[in-house]
C-alpha cells in the first residue's frame, strides 16, 4: 500500500487533476491520496490558502471582504467546469465555505485555523467527487473521523502518538481514500493546522499509520537537485539520498521538502519518493534510511544566507569550566537558539540565524556576555552564508575536505569558519554572503562536473 | 630594566652559574634575577625539588629518610666548591634545610609547601652570595619581604593584585635583586607554591610589578621550535611569535613554556624573550603582543595526544533550544571540562582530554546524556590526537586550509574533526593517534621546507 500526496500546483487546474487521476489509476497500490489546497496556476497567481487567510483576517478586522469569497469559490468552480463535474459538489463547497467564513469568530485563533484548513478540506471533497465521476471509486475522509488527533498548538500541531493506531484502519477502506492535508483536530475537537509544508506532514503521518510500503510525494520538479538550480543551471538530479542527507541539505536552503515533514515516515522506516506530477514517468528522488554509495563522496551542495556570528575571546578561556555553558544560558534567557559553536583555545564563535537576533537588543546581549564572563573581546559579524557539502560517502573519504577547501581557495573564497564533526555526513563552511554563489558554483564544478566524475 | 629568569638546568652546576653571572654582567639593565632550584645535571639526574618532595613525603609518612638530606645538601655544596665559595653560605643553607625539614608537620599541606619551596629559596641565597663573591653586588630578596602575596591555594597559587604595587619598589634596589621563583606567601604568612613552571610565573609577576621593558627567560634551548624536534629533526626556530600563538602552541604540546606563566607579562604588555643560557649570543625567541607577518602563514605546528570524543546524534537536534547547554551541564556535574564541540545539524561531538574521563564512570555519563536528552546514538572514541596549525598570518589567507587539508589527504591521513573559528590564528585537526606523527611531518614539510618557503 502506498500513500500518495499531491502538492498545490498538482491540483491547481482541472487538467492537473486529470494527471493526478492517471497517476492514481496507474498503480493499484496507491490507496491513500493526500491533497493540498489548489495552488498557483501561474507565477503571479495566488494560492487558495493565501486567499482564505486574507479573507479570514479581513473578517476578523471587521473590514469589507469585497468579492473575495467569490474569488475563492471560482477556483473550485473553474476546476469543476473544466472537468464537467455536477453542480452538486460546487454547492457543497460553497455551503461549507460560507459556513466557515461566517462562523462565530469570538475565538480568533480557532476561527482562523478553521478558515485556513478549509482549502484542503474542500479540495479533498472535490478530488473524491472527480475520481468517482471518472469511475474510480473514492471517498473523502475527514481527519477527525479518521482519528488524526494533534496537540492544541495552532500553526504548529504535533501528532499525538495514539493517532497512528487509529489511522491504521484506513487500510480497510475499499474505495480510494482522499484525505485533506495540513490539519488535524485537537482532543476537544477544534481544527489545528500543522506548520508550513503541512500536507507533507499529513502524508508522512498517514504513511506511518497505515504502515505503507512507500510514501510518494508528488510536486512539480523531476527530482531533488544536487544544487540550487538558480545558481547552477541544469544541475544533476539526485536519484537516492538518505534521510540524514536530506535533512542536512534542507537545513541549508533546499526548500523542495521540509525535513521535519519526514519524521513520521523516518521513524517508521518508510521510504519517500519525490516525484513530478507533470512527468510521472521519471523515477524522481528516493529518500531512504541507507543507500549504496555509488556516486562519489558528495550528493548535494546547499547554501543558506542570513547567518551571523558572535566571536568571543578571553585569554585562558579553556581553563574555565562552564564558560560555554554560561554563554549558552545567557542566550537561552533571550530565547535565542544557536546553530554552531566552533572554538579555538581562547576563543569561541557562536553561529546563529540573523532572525534569532532580530528584535532583540544586541548590545544588551553582548554586554551581558562581556560582563558576566569577563570576555576580553566580542565581535558580532553579520551577513554570513553557510555552505553545506553533504554526502554519506564523505565518511572515511580522506580527500574530500582537501578537494573542497582547495576549490574554495582557487576560487578566491575565504573560509570564515569550518565546522566538521565526527559524523562526516557533511562539511560546513562559513563564508561572507557575497561569496556564497561563487563558492557553490566552484564546489559543484569540482564534485559534479563530468571531468570530476570520471576521476 | 629587565627581569631575567634562569631555569633549573641553568643553575645545576657551578659552571652553569658562571654562565649566569656572565649573562647578568653583560647587560646593566638586567636588574632582577629570578632563580629556579638546581635542576638536572644529566639525563638521569634528579632535580633538587623532586628530592625535597621525596624527603618531605617520607617524613610525613614517618619513614626513614636515609641520607636524603645529605644528598640534597650535597648539590649546593658541590656548586659552592666548584665556585670556591665560603662555608658560610653552605652553613646557612644547611641550617635552613634542617629547620624546614624538621619543622612541625601537623599541617601536612603547609609543611610540604615549605619543603618544596626551599629549593628555590636556598638557591637564590647561593646565587646572591656567588654574585657578591665575584664582585657583582647582589642581594637575596624574600618574596614575603617584597610583598608577593598570593591566594591560599597550595600548588596553584594566584597572585593577589595588590602585590604588583608593592613589587614596584624592587626597582629601588641598588644591588642586583636575586629572587627565588615558584612561591609566594599567603596573607596569613604561609609559603604557597605556584603550579608547574612556577618560576616562570614569578618572573612574569615581577616583570609586571617593576614594569620591566623585557622579561628574559633563560632555558637550555636556543629557541622555541616551529615543531617538536622529536618528530622533525632540526626544525626551524621561531624568531618572534605572539602571546596568542604561543598559547595555542603550548596548548597542544609545546612544553618549553607554559602559556599561563605568561599572563602577568601579557597583561602588562611586556615582551618575553626565551633564550639559551648555554648559547646566550643567539637572539632566541621573542613573544610579543603583535608581530609583522613575514614568514608565511604558519608559525608553528603542535600536536598533543590523549584526547577522546563523545559523538551524540539525534534527529532534529538543532531545533531543541538548550540541547548543548544541557549536555554541558551534565558534564559540569561530573566536573568534566571539555575542549571543543564541533556540530553538524543533528549531531555534535564533544572533544575532551582522556584524563577528564579517567576515574569517572563513562557508562554513567553516557547513560545520563542518553536518558535526559533522549539522544539516539552516542559513540565514545578514544586515542585521538589534536594537531594545531598556528599562525597569525593565517587570518585572511585564503589558501592555508586548502594546503593543510590537501597535505593530510596526500599523506593518507583521515581528518576526524576540523574546528576552525572565526579567529583563524589556528586550525585544529583531530586525527587518530597513530596518524599524528605522519600528519605533523607532512604539514611541516608543506609549510616549512625550503621548497615551500620559496613559493
Amino acid at each position: 500500500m502506498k500513500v500518495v500526496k499531491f502538492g498545490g500546483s498538482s491540483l491547481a487546474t482541472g487538467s492537473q487533476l486529470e494527471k493526478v487521476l492517471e497517476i492514481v489509476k496507474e498503480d493499484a497500490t496507491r490507496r491513500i491520496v493526500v491533497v493540498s489546497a489548489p495552488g498557483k496556476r501561474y507565477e503571479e497567481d495566488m494560492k487558495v490558502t493565501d486567499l482564505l487567510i486574507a479573507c479570514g483576517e479581513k473578517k476578523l478586522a471587521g473590514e469589507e471582504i469585497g468579492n473575495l469569497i467569490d474569488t475563492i469559490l471560482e477556483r473550485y468552480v473553474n476546476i469543476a467546469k473544466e472537468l464537467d463535474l455536477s453542480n452538486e459538489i460546487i454547492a457543497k463547497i460553497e455551503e461549507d465555505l460560507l459556513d466557515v467564513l461566517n462562523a462565530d469568530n469570538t475565538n480568533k485563533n480557532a476561527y482562523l485555523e478553521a478558515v485556513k484548513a478549509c482549502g484542503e478540506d474542500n479540495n479533498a471533497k472535490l478530488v473524491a467527487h472527480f475520481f468517482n465521476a471518472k469511475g474510480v471509486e473514492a471517498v473523502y475522509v475527514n481527519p477527525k473521523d479518521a482519528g488524526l488527533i494533534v496537540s492544541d498548538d495552532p500553526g504548529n500541531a504535533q501528532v499525538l502518538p495514539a493517532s497512528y493506531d487509529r489511522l491504521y484502519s484506513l487500510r480497510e477502506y475499499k474505495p480510494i481514500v482522499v484525505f485533506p492535508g495540513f490539519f488535524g483536530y485537537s482532543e476537544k475537537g477544534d481544527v489545528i493546522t500543522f506548520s508550513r509544508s503541512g500536507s507533507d506532514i499529513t502524508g508522512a503521518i498517514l504513511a506511518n499509520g497505515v504502515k505503507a510500503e512507500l510514501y510518494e510525494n508528488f510536486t512539480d520538479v523531476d527530482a531533488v537537485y544536487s544544487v540550487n538550480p538558480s545558481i547552477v543551471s541544469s544541475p544533476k538530479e539526485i536519484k537516492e539520498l538518505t534521510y540524514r542527507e536530506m535533512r542536512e541539505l534542507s537545513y541549508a536552503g533546499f526548500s523542495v521538502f521540509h525535513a521535519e515533514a519526514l519524521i513520521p515516515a523516518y521513524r517508521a522506516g518508510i521510504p519517500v519518493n519525490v516525484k513530478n506530477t507533470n512527468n510521472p514517468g521519471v523515477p524522481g528522488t528516493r529518500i531512504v534510511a541507507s543507500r549504496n554509495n555509488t556516486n562519489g563522496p558528495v550528493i548535494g551542495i546547499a547554501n543558506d544566507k542570513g547567518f551571523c556570528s558572535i566571536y568571543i575571546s578571553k585569554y585562558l578561556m579553556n581553563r574555565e569550566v562552564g564558560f560555554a555553558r554560561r554563554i549558552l544560558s545567557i542566550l537561552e534567557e533571550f530565547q535565542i537558539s544557536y546553530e554552531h559553536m566552533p572554538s579555538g583555545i581562547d576563543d569561541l564563535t557562536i553561529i546563529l540565524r540573523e532572525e534569532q537576533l532580530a528584535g532583540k537588543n544586541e548590545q544588551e546581549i553582548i554586554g551581558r556576555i562581556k560582563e558576566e564572563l569577563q570576555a576580553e573581546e566580542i565581535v558580532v559579524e553579520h551577513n554570513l552564508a553557510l555552505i553545506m557539502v553533504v554526502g554519506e560517502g564523505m565518511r572515511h573519504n580522506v580527500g574530500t575536505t582537501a578537494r573542497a577547501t582547495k576549490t574554495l581557495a582557487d576560487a578566491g573564497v575565504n573560509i570564515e569558519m569550518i565546522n566538521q564533526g565526527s559524523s562526516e555526513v557533511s562539511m560546513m563552511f562559513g563564508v561572507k554572503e557575497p561569496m556564497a554563489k561563487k563558492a557553490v558554483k566552484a564546489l559543484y564544478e569540482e564534485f559534479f562536473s563530468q571531468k570530476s566524475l570520471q576521476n
Side-chain angles (χ1 to χ4, degrees), chain A residues 17 76 79-80 85 89 93 122-130:
Chain A
L17 259 71
Y76 295 102
I79 295 171
L85 302 181
I89 180 67
I93 291 174
N122 283 316
N123 213 25
K125 290 172 193 165
L126 181 67
V127 169
H129 184 93
F130 166 58

Side-chain angles (χ1 to χ4, degrees), chain A residues 325-340:
Chain A
R325 198 260 310 142
R326 283 182 288 152
I327 291 177
L328 296 185
S329 296
I330 292 174
L331 294 182
E332 234 176 305
E333 269 184 58
F334 285 89
Q335 299 282 317
I336 290 172
S337 84
Y338 83 101
E339 302 293 314
H340 304 286

Side-chain angles (χ1 to χ4, degrees), chain A residues 1 53 77 199 209 252 258 321 337 366 369-370 393 401 440:
Chain A
M1 174 178 284
I53 292 172
V77 170
S199 296
H258 280 281
V321 175
S337 84
I366 302 309
I369 295 174
K370 198 153 197 162
T401 313
V440 169

